[in-house]
Amino acid sequence: MNLKKEIIQRAKEKNIDPYKEPFRPSCLSINSSKYGSFSDYCSKEDTCSGKWNDNIFLKAVEFNNGGRPVKYILLK
């Protein structure tokens, strides 16, 4: 299963709208290391590691004190 499909499936199970409600990978019980980094799937304007992937379907919406993304929303 790819990451986007897993996010949609797990969000549905937890009654979360991943397009509107910011989520942490752990909130959806997703092992983020299985897919590399969630920030890889953000635009390069959002995260530094976004430059490594052209498949953009996440947006970082909350960052920790070190500037690393901790919460995301799914892009339509």
Side-chain angles (χ1 to χ4, degrees):
M1 175 180 307
N2 71 31
L3 177 57
K4 186 173 183 178
K5 288 181 182 178
E6 186 168 359
I7 289 170
I8 292 168
Q9 178 184 357
R10 298 285 179 103
K12 187 176 181 179
E13 292 169 3
K14 305 239 182 215
N15 293 319
I16 293 172
D17 182 347
Y19 296 100
K20 294 180 182 177
E21 299 174 53
F23 60 86
R24 295 177 187 264
S26 61
C27 293
L28 300 180
S29 301
I30 294 176
N31 179 357
S32 57
S33 63
K34 177 179 172 183
Y35 298 100
S37 170
F38 269 44
S39 62
D40 291 349
Y41 299 93
C42 297
S43 74
K44 60 185 173 186
E45 288 79 23
D46 276 352
T47 65
C48 292
S49 63
K51 67 185 175 189
W52 302 111
N53 195 346
D54 291 331
N55 187 12
I56 298 167
F57 56 84
L58 290 173
K59 176 162 183 61
V61 295
E62 188 175 311
F63 299 83
N64 66 15
N65 292 338
R68 297 180 141 223
V70 293
K71 286 190 177 181
Y72 305 87
I73 57 170
L74 200 57
L75 298 173
K76 291 187 178 189

